[in-house]
């Protein structure tokens, strides 16, 4: 197993069978070896820095009916809300004062937020905070709409692919959604010029070591700048409410494998990871992650954006507790920094490979 991990660290191309062997066969000692290798690689590109993103959950209305999601269209136990433009800008002001230099607008696929409304919000944020990066996570759109967002100033776009296996995708989503369109969106985002993020839930129903290996091969092919990975957590009121949730060990394993597969990727230690284990976020950092996303949403709506049960939205997950989170993460040997935390450029990568240093603003 260590031989396969060493090959991956040296950027060798692993086969689907190689990935399956690691996923199925890693014992605890080999997992620690994998985590150490993942840390070594992330330190090469990003040092000991942890980048923070201010998460603004701007709407929990969604037209889709994904079987796993707590805010799915048919969920009857959800108090729906939409933030106004002024409320979104207020969140950004608060975040900027706290030291955030990246804002993430995340929401369901809400038809109320038309292209014109989103362009107005994006351009307003960028006008007020020109030194900040803006990430969007608002689902599947046309090429033209993504391009309008980009032209308005959005820098990054997160769209989890959820699973690269077509059959598995169809078992997680309603018939009107397709894996082909999800992948089309991701390639469109890359062509437009976004720093693009994909990702998947670990331990989702019907997932196997084989489908996870396909995820890693898809990520290698797509070469996104960001990958969001977190455990599947069941949500009440969904068809999957009685399904078993994803485990900590496998989630950490996939974080480390993703880091070695894409050495310079921006990789969050997610809220979901902190939800299933009290030190899940720290363990994610120690498995190769280098991003955290505290919540900047208004307190009044945080409980309503419930993608899954028992979601953390206050305490150290909250932006207003940033100093406490900084102290916790310092114990891992890594440090939260105030910067945009952009993906490393090709020229910076070349400099690092030649023994130079990265110039992060």
């Amino acid at each position: 197993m260590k031989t396969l991990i060493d090959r991956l660290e040296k950027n060798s191309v692993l086969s689907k069978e190689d990935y399956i062997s690691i996923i199925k066969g890693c014992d605890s000692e080999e997992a620690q070896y994998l985590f150490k290798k993942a840390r070594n690689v992330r330190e090469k590109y990003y040092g000991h820095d942890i980048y923070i993103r201010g998460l603004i959950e701007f709407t929990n209305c969604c037209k889709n009916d994904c079987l796993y999601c707590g805010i799915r269209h048919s969920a009857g136990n959800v108090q729906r809300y939409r933030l106004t433009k002024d409320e979104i800008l207020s969140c950004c002001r608060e975040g900027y004062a706290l030291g955030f230099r990246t804002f993430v607008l995340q929401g369901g696929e809400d038809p109320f937020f038309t292209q014109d409304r989103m362009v107005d919000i994006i351009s307003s944020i960028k006008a007020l905070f020109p030194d900040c990066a803006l990430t969007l996570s608002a689902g599947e759109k046309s090429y033209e709409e993504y391009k309008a967002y980009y032209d308005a100033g959005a820098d990054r776009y997160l769209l989890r692919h959820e699973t690269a296996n077509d059959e598995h995708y169809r078992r997680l989503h309603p018939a009107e959604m397709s894996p082909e369109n999800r992948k089309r969106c991701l390639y469109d985002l890359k062509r437009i010029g976004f720093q693009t993020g994909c990702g998947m839930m670990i331990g989702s129903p019907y997932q196997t070591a084989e489908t996870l290996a396909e995820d890693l091969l898809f990520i290698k092919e797509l070469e996104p700048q960001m990958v969001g990975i977190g455990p599947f957590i069941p949500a009440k009121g969904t068809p999957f409410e009685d399904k078993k949730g994803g485990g900590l060990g496998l989630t950490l394993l996939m974080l480390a494998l993703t880091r070695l597969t894409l050495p310079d990727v921006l990789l969050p230690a997610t809220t979901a990871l902190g939800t299933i284990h009290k030190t899940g976020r720290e363990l994610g950092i120690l498995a190769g992650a280098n991003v955290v996303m505290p919540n900047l949403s208004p307190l009044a709506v945080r409980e309503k954006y419930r993608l899954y049960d028992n979601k953390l939205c206050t305490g150290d997950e909250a932006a207003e507790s940033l100093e406490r989170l900084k102290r916790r993460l310092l114990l891992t040997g890594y440090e939260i920094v105030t910067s945009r935390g952009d993906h490393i450029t090709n020229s910076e990568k070349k400099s690092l490979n030649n023994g130079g240093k990265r110039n992060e603003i």
Side-chain angles (χ1 to χ4, degrees), residues 132-144:
C132 293
L134 178 59
T135 303
L136 304 178
S137 181
E140 298 178 359
K141 310 292 179 184
S142 67
Y143 180 97
E144 291 73 22

Side-chain angles (χ1 to χ4, degrees), residues 128-198:
L128 286 171
F129 308 100
D131 56 330
C132 293
L134 178 59
T135 303
L136 304 178
S137 181
E140 298 178 359
K141 310 292 179 184
S142 67
Y143 180 97
E144 291 73 22
E145 189 159 352
Y146 285 143
K147 183 69 163 56
Y149 294 170
Y150 185 77
D151 290 343
D155 303 278
R156 307 173 187 146
Y157 202 102
L158 296 170
L159 180 66
R160 286 192 177 189
H161 67 281
E162 303 301 358
T163 173
N165 180 278
D166 288 359
E167 180 183 354
H168 186 208
Y169 186 94
R170 291 188 172 93
R171 298 183 79 176
L172 300 178
H173 298 89
E176 59 269 21
M177 296 181 70
S178 73
E180 293 84 6
N181 193 56
R182 183 59 61 105
K183 290 175 183 176
R184 186 272 306 167
C185 288
L186 287 164
Y187 282 104
D188 280 354
L189 289 163
K190 285 210 71 179
R191 277 195 293 272
I192 289 166
F194 279 102
Q195 292 184 44
T196 302
C198 65

Side-chain angles (χ1 to χ4, degrees), residues 339-354:
S339 78
R340 284 170 46 113
D342 284 306
H343 183 263
I344 193 168
T345 65
N346 287 332
S347 60
E348 288 172 329
K349 195 186 308 183
K350 184 176 179 180
S351 174
L352 285 171
N353 288 335
N354 291 330

Side-chain angles (χ1 to χ4, degrees), residues 37 66 136 138 193 310 347:
K37 293 293 186 180
C66 303
L136 304 178
N310 304 313
S347 60

Side-chain angles (χ1 to χ4, degrees), residues 8-170:
L8 191 56
E9 183 192 22
K10 293 179 173 62
N11 211 25
S12 297
V13 177
L14 296 191
S15 67
K16 180 177 176 179
E17 290 69 29
D18 290 334
Y19 279 124
I20 291 170
S21 295
I22 297 173
I23 293 166
K24 283 186 172 181
C26 235
D27 61 26
S28 58
E29 179 189 347
E30 289 162 337
Q32 291 304 317
Y33 184 78
L34 173 64
F35 299 155
K36 182 178 179 181
K37 293 293 186 180
R39 292 195 297 273
N40 290 344
V41 167
R42 66 91 79 190
E43 287 168 18
K44 175 181 177 181
Y45 292 99
Y46 297 106
H48 287 74
D49 293 347
I50 300 172
Y51 301 126
I52 53 171
R53 302 359 185 156
L55 179 63
I56 303 169
E57 296 159 334
F58 69 101
T59 175
N60 71 346
C61 302
C62 190
K63 67 179 184 180
N64 294 331
D65 231 5
C66 303
L67 278 68
Y68 49 82
C69 184
I71 62 169
R72 65 199 302 259
H73 179 72
S74 64
N77 59 344
V78 179
Q79 289 181 281
R80 303 292 180 177
Y81 73 88
R82 296 180 175 111
L83 297 185
T84 66
K85 174 183 166 181
D86 285 345
E87 286 173 324
I88 292 169
L89 294 177
S90 178
C91 292
C92 293
R93 290 188 185 94
E94 178 186 347
Y96 194 88
L98 289 169
F100 289 87
R101 294 299 178 265
T102 288
F103 304 119
V104 180
L105 291 188
Q106 177 178 291
E109 290 195 29
D110 184 351
F112 173 83
F113 285 95
T114 61
Q115 177 176 314
D116 287 345
R117 282 195 173 105
M118 288 301 296
V119 165
D120 179 42
I121 291 168
I122 293 163
S123 58
S124 297
I125 292 172
K126 294 296 285 191
L128 286 171
F129 308 100
D131 56 330
C132 293
L134 178 59
T135 303
L136 304 178
S137 181
E140 298 178 359
K141 310 292 179 184
S142 67
Y143 180 97
E144 291 73 22
E145 189 159 352
Y146 285 143
K147 183 69 163 56
Y149 294 170
Y150 185 77
D151 290 343
D155 303 278
R156 307 173 187 146
Y157 202 102
L158 296 170
L159 180 66
R160 286 192 177 189
H161 67 281
E162 303 301 358
T163 173
N165 180 278
D166 288 359
E167 180 183 354
H168 186 208
Y169 186 94
R170 291 188 172 93

